[in-house]
């Protein structure tokens, strides 16, 4: 219920559905009352403590209401720049309000961790603080902002622990890493990803994050040759744990393709792809020896081999790639037989 003494000077504005509503929604009384007061407050553009508390109440009823989140930020900004609450020239929102609202967003997002409005609110609160970290190096404000960074990264980790494929959580985490762009945070993220892959080598979100982090969130920062070798070794090591797993093979091929674009005509690349193909073949042989199964059953491994043979590009390699594709089409991967038929046809064009 809305305390009448708090809004004694406000007349609630009812929702206007027009003279002949087609389908009126039977809102709960408390929700309808809170929204009525919010409409009135927003019409006055009153950005006060009571308006801020009112938005919190309305968001508890409906955490997906974008307009309410937006008006809450208007209130936070206005209260932050008032003489009594102004805390830092480096933040758009006062740090006290940021900390409090991050807790509110976490509470409201707990039951719906894929609520876009909640994640956008968190980003909006932190955006200015993060962008000013480097421009104010060494100040107390930077220390406070870095503390927010660490707390936010930890919070996201708890969300990912509940749902490893929460797109909003991963996107928010990537934004933080790029926004602050600190080498220590990039390195710490690699350790975080390694832990996730230790727990679940099939965590394709973690594989995607590894690519993002090792490239520092940029398409224009490819691997140096030594880093490429290291990443290829890492992906092969993970693929050996489960040769059926698509994720490490996709990562493996992506590294090779990137190097091909950079140094594809050099002896260094010829050596790299030769070593990579040998490692793949050894993984297949080890699988066959340990499982007593046909390595062709590991269709993702064979798919990676086809890609490597195609990159090599010589007639013998292309012929082998075509043979693999036809075997997958006819026997080992019937679900995707049309795809493998197409791949074989594409490879045959190369030989003509």
């Amino acid at each position: 219920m809305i305390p009448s003494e708090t809004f004694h000077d406000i007349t609630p504005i009812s929702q206007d559905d027009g003279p002949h509503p087609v389908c009126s929604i039977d809102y709960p009384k408390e929700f309808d009352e809170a929204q009525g007061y919010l409409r009135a407050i927003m019409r006055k553009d009153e950005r006060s403590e009571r308006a801020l508390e009112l938005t919190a109440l309305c968001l508890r009823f409906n955490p997906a209401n974008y307009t309410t989140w937006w008006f809450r930020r208007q209130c936070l900004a206005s209260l932050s720049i008032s003489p009594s609450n102004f805390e830092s020239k480096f933040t758009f929102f006062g740090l006290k309000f940021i900390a409090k609202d991050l807790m509110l967003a976490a509470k409201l997002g707990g039951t719906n961790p894929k609520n876009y409005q909640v994640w956008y609110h968190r980003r909006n609160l932190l955006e200015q603080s993060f962008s000013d970290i480097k421009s104010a190096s060494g100040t107390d404000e930077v220390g406070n902002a870095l503390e927010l960074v660490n707390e936010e990264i930890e919070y996201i980790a708890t969300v990912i622990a509940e749902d490893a494929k929460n797109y909003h959580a991963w996107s928010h985490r990537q934004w933080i890493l790029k926004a602050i762009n600190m080498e220590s945070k990039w390195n710490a993220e690699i350790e975080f990803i390694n832990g996730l892959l230790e727990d679940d080598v099939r965590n394709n979100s973690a594989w995607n994050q590894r690519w993002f982090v090792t490239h520092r969130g940029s398409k224009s920062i490819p691997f140096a040759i030594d880093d490429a070798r290291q990443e290829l070794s890492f992906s092969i090591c993970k693929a050996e744990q489960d040769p059926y797993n698509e994720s490490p093979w996709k990562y493996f091929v992506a590294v090779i393709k990137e190097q091909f674009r950079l140094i594809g005509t050099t002896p260094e690349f010829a050596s790299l792809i030769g070593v990579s193909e040998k490692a793949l073949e050894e993984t297949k042989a080890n699988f066959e020896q340990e499982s007593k199964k046909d390595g062709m059953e590991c269709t993702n491994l064979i798919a990676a081999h086809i890609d490597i043979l195609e990159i090599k590009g010589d007639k013998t390699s292309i012929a082998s790639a075509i043979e693999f594709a036809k075997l997958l089409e006819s026997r080992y991967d019937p679900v995707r037989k049309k795809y493998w038929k197409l791949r074989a046809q594409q490879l045959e064009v190369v030989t003509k």
Side-chain angles (χ1 to χ4, degrees):
M1 295 292 291
I2 302 292
S4 56
E5 64 277 8
T6 305
F7 295 97
H8 64 88
D9 58 330
I10 299 295
T11 301
I13 298 175
S14 300
Q15 179 168 308
D16 184 6
D17 291 327
H20 306 293
V22 176
C23 182
S24 296
I25 299 174
D26 186 18
Y27 296 110
K29 180 181 177 181
E30 295 81 2
F31 173 87
D32 200 35
E33 182 183 21
Q35 289 295 130
Y37 278 108
L38 182 63
R39 293 187 197 98
I41 287 286
M42 289 182 68
R43 178 170 291 183
K44 289 180 59 181
D45 196 22
E46 178 187 317
R47 304 179 186 186
S48 61
E49 288 281 0
R50 69 174 183 176
L52 188 67
E53 290 302 316
L54 180 60
T55 61
L57 176 61
C58 291
L59 288 169
R60 290 187 185 97
F61 286 124
N62 180 14
N65 190 321
Y66 175 84
T67 303
T68 308
W69 282 113
W70 171 82
F71 185 63
R72 181 173 181 83
R73 287 191 291 274
Q74 304 308 301
C75 294
L76 288 169
S78 295
L79 291 168
S80 293
I81 61 175
S82 67
S84 60
N85 289 325
F86 182 64
E87 296 184 19
S88 170
K89 64 182 178 180
F90 293 107
T91 55
F92 182 68
F93 303 114
L95 289 174
K96 177 182 72 176
F97 292 110
I98 292 175
K100 183 178 178 181
D101 252 54
L102 288 173
M103 290 178 63
L104 173 68
K107 184 176 181 180
L108 294 175
T111 55
N112 187 5
K114 295 185 179 179
N115 182 329
Y116 171 78
Q117 284 77 14
V118 171
W119 287 107
Y120 181 78
H121 185 67
R122 299 188 76 90
R123 173 169 174 165
N124 210 281
L125 288 170
L126 296 167
E127 211 154 19
Q128 188 63 37
S129 299
F130 288 5
S131 66
D132 287 320
I133 285 177
K134 288 192 174 181
S135 64
S137 179
T139 65
D140 290 339
E141 285 82 359
V142 171
N144 291 331
L146 286 174
E147 187 176 342
L148 286 174
V149 170
N150 294 332
E151 290 175 355
E152 193 68 359
I153 288 176
E154 284 300 315
Y155 168 72
I156 300 168
T158 64
V159 176
I160 290 172
E162 292 293 323
D163 179 5
K165 301 188 185 298
N166 187 323
Y167 170 82
H168 300 287
W170 282 113
S171 296
H172 189 58
R173 196 173 181 95
Q174 290 185 354
W175 167 73
I176 291 173
L177 292 167
K178 285 197 71 173
I180 59 173
N181 195 26
M182 295 176 65
E183 194 63 21
S184 61
K185 298 304 177 187
W186 289 117
N187 292 334
E189 189 69 5
I190 287 290
E191 293 304 314
F192 174 71
I193 295 164
N194 288 345
L196 292 178
L197 292 175
E198 281 296 321
D199 293 337
D200 178 14
V201 75
R202 288 177 170 268
N203 187 337
N204 58 309
S205 295
W207 281 103
N208 179 73
Q209 184 75 349
R210 186 179 184 88
W211 184 269
F212 176 84
V213 172
T214 51
H215 287 75
R216 297 301 186 259
S218 173
K219 293 181 179 179
S220 61
I221 308 178
F223 288 127
I225 186 68
D226 289 339
D227 293 331
R229 291 191 184 100
Q230 182 177 327
E231 291 302 304
L232 288 169
S233 177
F234 178 86
S235 54
I236 278 288
C237 179
K238 294 300 179 184
E240 286 174 347
Q241 295 177 21
D242 180 3
Y244 291 99
N245 182 11
E246 182 178 23
S247 295
W249 293 120
K250 287 291 186 183
Y251 192 91
F252 181 79
V253 171
V255 174
I256 294 173
K257 285 183 175 180
E258 183 181 68
Q259 292 302 302
F260 177 67
R261 290 193 295 269
L262 290 171
I263 57 170
T265 59
T266 66
E268 274 189 319
F269 180 74
S271 172
L272 180 76
I273 198 168
V275 170
S276 300
E277 184 178 15
K278 182 179 179 181
L280 182 149
E281 290 171 337
E282 288 176 354
T283 301
K284 179 171 175 279
N286 290 338
F287 166 79
E288 291 175 331
Q289 183 177 357
E290 293 173 8
S291 68
K292 308 303 179 186
K293 294 181 179 179
D294 186 346
M296 287 294 298
E297 292 181 8
C298 294
T299 55
N300 290 311
L301 183 157
I302 303 303
H305 200 176
I306 290 171
D307 288 337
I308 290 174
L309 292 166
E310 183 180 22
I311 292 169
K312 288 177 72 176
D314 60 274
K315 288 186 177 181
T316 302
S317 296
I318 296 297
S320 296
I322 292 170
E323 181 182 355
F324 282 139
K326 287 183 175 180
L327 283 169
L328 291 174
E329 174 200 347
S330 62
R331 179 177 175 185
Y332 292 101
D333 196 9
V335 173
R336 296 188 294 173
K337 63 183 299 182
K338 291 184 178 180
Y339 169 75
W340 292 119
K341 182 179 181 180
L342 175 63
R343 284 292 280 133
Q345 291 171 345
Q346 290 172 336
L347 290 164
E348 286 168 348
V349 170
V350 175
T351 63
K352 295 179 181 179

